[in-house]
Amino acid sequence: MTIRRALQSMLLAAFVIVRAPLTVAAEPAPMRAWVVDPAAPGSHLPPVGVSLFDQLFADGRGGHMVPFPFDTLLARLDPLLARDGASTLPPVKPVLIPLGRSLQRTAAAPDYFRFPRVVLAVDAPPAPGAPLLKDRLYIGYAEKSAVLEVISYNEAAGRFEFQLVKDYRAGGQPRVFYANRNICFACHQNGAPIFSRALWDETNANPAIAARLDAVGRRFYGIPTGRGVDLPYAIDKGVRRANLFALSQRLWREGCGPGDPGAACRAGLFAAAIRMRLAGGRAGRPDAAFDEAAARPLRSRAGRLWPDGLAIGRSDLPNRNPLQGVTRWPDALPAQLALSHVPARFEPLAPRPPDAWWRANAPEALAEAVAGVAEFVADGQWLRVEAALARRAASLPRGVMALDCVPQPASRASRCRGPGGTTLDLADGRISRLSLAGEPPQPAFALGEAVRLAGGDWLEHVDASALKAGAGPLQLRLRTDSRALASAMEALAASPEGAALLADRPIPGAALVTALLKMLGEAPAKPPQGVPPTPRLETPDTPPRDAPMGTPLPRPLAAFHAWCAACHLSAEQFPPNFLQGPRDELEARLRQCAPRILVRLTMARRLPAAREKTPMPPESMLPAFGIHPAAWATSPERAEMEAVVATMLRLETGREPDPDALLAGGYEYLRPCLATGAH
């Protein structure tokens, strides 16, 4: 009997179910609103703007110029970033991951340690005049497959973009494509970068990993093999910050709302964010103007839109040690391949619960909203706001605040009190615990030092000359920069340019800072020159030969297109594009992939704790099909697809296929979905 006849006969009979199905959990109550819906990746190409990666490596003629080799690319980034003089860490944080969880996990097999995947993140602020890359640029490099996987921010669209750089090798012609976001969102479920939790045992922070990398004797693009947890820890923190960008965008756009009230709300958030940024991250006490323009409207509208709060997608994956229990690297290829297997509990494809919730009625809700917007004003220009205020110093009004001081018992310190709850401590020529009217306490500073206060004002001078034995009056002389900022923001909001920038659109951080500087009398910065790269998707090198017009695929084969095409009908081989190619050869490609497809389909019928691999389609994507995982597990469509590949394997081997037997040698030892030379 031919395979096609067997498939047709199968559809007339009861579906073949491989092993008895296990109990699947009942469908839970409806999920509260996600900040980013894991099942709604959005358009593959940017709806507006381009990625930061495009901007960085544009050739000025609509294309790209991506530096090679990889250490040259690293060197290109370095001068764009400020260095922290108190830290020994580089501004670009790279780690080596030979046995990881990316789609490229098997690209170097079996030479995992000779060709480890590099993951780098930028977590440093920009050098003066440079673009904001902090927490906005992530690159994965797989040398063996000559591919860069890039995640970088698109400020105009208010989202991270996913891109691939192909043919990134010596003598190659690097080509940059936007990626299939369906594939990306299967793992990046918050539409942002992901990373492991501590102790980051997949990276070269693991001494066993570092030792094996050292044994290879290669120079890995100038990246040290022996490194502690400092670099992966920094990446982890940056990834967590990056995953909050989407929350900031939703609160800015939807939380503030449309029209003039929405613009006033956004202006209030931005003004508070500027003050916070100038004050080194300290937020002043909200005043009546902020409460009226931003706080009360945002709480009220967000409470109506999201009465149960907004779920923030989880960015961290369980820590995994791929060398756990491995005392000696195996000599046999099957055992080496088995070590690259990622069990279901470690898979980034597994649905992840929320990392946190944002609720409008929470005490910290407004502070989180302001802090989120502040992440978009550190664009390399905000220091110019500081300089602009200093240049206007002569015209800014001064304020003088008087405090009464008393000596503290059994110490040389004085405690001073002033109007509105202002407090400070003075001892040995240093001021500590300075708080104006309930602001967060100022870090300690010398008596003659000028400092920026949390509310936005500049403390020019502290006059303690009248103190006698620690008692008496003390005066604070303030330059009222907060008034200048408020006046500039009012003028900006009332201008046509400001109305456009404060409209219902993603946070235009750099443009808002530029416009604010103009209101403070600064000349506008020179706009960048050149033509940005044209966003494009990759198309197959050879178009598939189609079946004759009007000839549909047989029903059992058509089901694979319906449920798998979003990820597996593409120009990529990771994940395997077994649906790409001539229609009359689809059956042969499915037969090649049958062991892996059978395993993935049967996993849906097992409880999560009993799964060796994650099911396909990924459960986080099933809502896009209008079906819950519990319903998918018992659906006739899934059973039909399982029966197709089970029949193929039965005819091939003469035995009833058993997923557990297939997995006995490890999932990665199953024959690959794509045969050599396949599409």
Side-chain angles (χ1 to χ4, degrees):
M1 179 184 292
T2 67
I3 291 179
R4 186 175 298 276
R5 285 183 60 195
L7 293 176
Q8 292 170 343
S9 300
M10 173 207 68
L11 289 174
L12 298 176
F15 291 130
V16 176
I17 303 298
V18 182
R19 301 180 67 87
L22 299 175
T23 303
V24 178
E27 183 170 342
M31 182 68 182
R32 285 180 274 188
W34 286 101
V35 172
V36 175
D37 185 348
S43 59
H44 304 320
L45 293 177
V48 63
V50 295
S51 71
L52 265 174
F53 186 84
D54 281 351
Q55 296 175 41
L56 285 176
F57 300 111
D59 63 8
R61 302 182 301 276
H64 296 83
M65 186 175 294
V66 184
F68 183 88
F70 190 66
D71 45 6
T72 306
L73 187 151
L74 291 173
R76 171 76 176 275
L77 297 175
D78 194 67
L80 301 176
L81 303 168
R83 288 189 173 273
D84 182 355
S87 173
T88 60
L89 299 182
V92 177
K93 309 296 190 290
V95 292
L96 302 172
I97 304 178
L99 290 165
R101 284 174 267 189
S102 81
L103 289 175
Q104 301 281 338
R105 68 184 64 163
T106 60
D111 298 324
Y112 305 108
F113 289 88
R114 183 166 182 78
F115 300 101
R117 185 169 182 261
V118 181
V119 171
L120 69 82
V122 174
D123 73 338
L132 174 60
L133 303 182
K134 179 184 176 183
D135 304 331
R136 287 160 169 80
L137 178 63
Y138 303 83
I139 300 177
Y141 174 40
E143 180 181 343
K144 197 68 178 290
S145 55
V147 168
L148 298 179
E149 298 166 296
V150 181
I151 302 174
S152 67
Y153 206 68
N154 177 347
E155 183 176 274
R159 72 178 198 177
F160 277 99
E161 304 290 356
F162 297 84
Q163 292 174 278
L164 296 170
V165 181
K166 300 288 195 68
D167 202 25
Y168 185 75
R169 58 183 177 84
Q173 297 293 323
R175 296 166 292 136
V176 182
F177 303 102
Y178 281 80
N180 180 336
R181 289 177 75 87
N182 295 320
I183 296 172
C184 303
F185 261 57
C187 296
H188 297 266
Q189 294 162 18
N190 199 43
I194 54 178
F195 201 62
S196 171
R197 301 173 200 154
L199 294 166
W200 308 287
D201 283 324
E202 284 174 321
T203 75
N204 53 317
N206 180 343
I209 295 283
R212 286 209 55 81
L213 290 169
D214 276 335
V216 172
R218 276 197 68 190
R219 178 182 178 273
F220 298 108
Y221 330 108
I223 301 169
T225 55
R227 190 83 204 194
V229 298
D230 49 3
L231 289 183
Y233 177 51
I235 295 175
D236 190 9
K237 290 195 299 182
V239 164
R240 290 172 186 272
R241 292 190 297 266
N243 274 264
L244 293 175
F245 292 168
L247 172 64
S248 300
Q249 295 286 6
R250 288 203 73 174
L251 297 181
W252 175 268
R253 299 189 67 180
E254 299 174 51
C256 280
D260 292 341
C265 171
R266 286 183 277 274
L269 289 176
F270 184 72
I274 282 285
R275 291 194 298 269
M276 174 182 282
R277 184 58 67 190
L278 290 175
R282 298 184 315 281
R285 189 178 69 174
D287 56 16
F290 176 80
D291 186 62
E292 179 180 358
R296 285 192 283 113
L298 179 57
R299 283 191 188 275
S300 175
R301 180 175 170 82
R304 293 194 307 271
L305 287 175
W306 311 298
D308 294 320
L310 279 170
I312 302 167
R314 183 174 292 276
S315 63
D316 59 341
L317 306 175
N319 181 51
R320 167 179 171 261
N321 184 355
L323 297 184
Q324 185 75 42
V326 178
T327 57
R328 178 180 175 276
W329 186 254
D331 296 323
L333 179 61
Q336 294 174 2
L337 292 173
L339 289 177
S340 66
H341 166 57
V342 178
R345 66 185 184 278
F346 295 121
E347 265 283 7
L349 289 166
R352 297 188 291 277
D355 186 48
W357 295 89
W358 185 89
R359 295 178 174 87
N361 60 357
E364 67 278 6
L366 267 298
E368 290 172 347
V370 171
V373 174
E375 292 293 329
F376 289 83
V377 299
D379 62 354
Q381 296 189 57
W382 69 267
L383 288 175
R384 294 181 61 199
V385 177
E386 184 83 67
L389 292 169
R391 279 190 284 272
R392 293 165 59 93
S395 63
L396 293 176
R398 265 59 175 178
V400 176
M401 182 177 292
L403 288 77
D404 291 321
C405 303
V406 296
Q408 295 299 291
S411 78
R412 294 184 295 178
S414 296
R415 180 149 295 172
C416 308
R417 295 287 185 271
T422 296
T423 63
L424 67 82
D425 290 347
L426 173 63
D428 298 325
R430 291 189 64 78
I431 291 176
S432 61
R433 299 173 59 85
L434 169 60
S435 173
L436 267 68
E439 292 178 355
Q442 191 79 16
F445 61 97
L447 185 59
E449 185 180 351
V451 296
R452 174 72 62 188
L453 302 176
D457 287 336
W458 183 252
L459 177 59
E460 290 184 314
H461 180 63
V462 179
D463 184 358
S465 60
L467 289 181
K468 302 297 183 183
L474 178 146
Q475 286 189 337
L476 307 180
R477 179 179 169 85
L478 307 174
R479 191 180 78 200
T480 55
D481 288 356
S482 59
R483 296 185 191 176
L485 283 170
S487 297
M489 278 303 304
E490 288 175 8
L492 174 59
S495 70
E497 180 182 14
L501 291 173
L502 294 169
D504 178 11
R505 56 175 286 184
I507 303 170
L512 274 171
V513 173
T514 299
L516 180 64
L517 284 166
K518 286 198 294 185
M519 295 300 167
L520 290 170
E522 298 295 300
K526 186 178 180 181
Q529 303 296 314
V531 179
T534 301
R536 58 176 179 156
L537 294 171
E538 186 176 19
T539 55
D541 295 331
T542 57
R545 299 188 306 275
D546 212 343
M549 187 65 67
T551 304
L553 282 167
R555 177 183 165 186
L557 302 186
F560 288 92
H561 270 269
W563 292 93
C564 308
C567 295
H568 296 281
L569 179 57
S570 72
E572 298 304 316
Q573 293 195 14
F574 299 97
N577 55 345
F578 59 84
L579 292 177
Q580 173 61 45
R583 291 178 63 172
D584 56 2
E585 298 174 11
L586 174 58
E587 191 175 293
R589 295 195 299 274
L590 287 175
R591 188 165 58 250
Q592 169 71 24
C593 204
R596 293 182 180 233
I597 293 177
L598 179 69
V599 166
R600 296 294 194 148
L601 287 172
T602 57
M603 291 298 117
R605 295 190 286 106
R606 300 188 177 190
L607 291 171
R611 293 170 179 167
E612 183 65 8
K613 293 297 293 182
T614 51
M616 289 291 176
E619 290 186 332
S620 63
M621 302 298 291
L622 287 176
F625 295 93
I627 192 169
H628 183 270
W632 169 246
T634 58
S635 69
E637 294 89 349
R638 192 211 57 78
E640 179 179 40
M641 295 164 66
E642 180 182 329
V644 168
V645 290
T647 299
M648 289 177 170
L649 289 172
R650 190 182 309 107
L651 292 172
E652 176 186 337
T653 65
R655 299 188 303 273
E656 191 69 26
D658 179 352
D660 291 327
L662 289 171
L663 287 169
Y667 182 81
E668 297 302 340
Y669 192 58
L670 293 175
R671 69 179 179 228
C673 277
L674 300 178
T676 304
H679 288 272

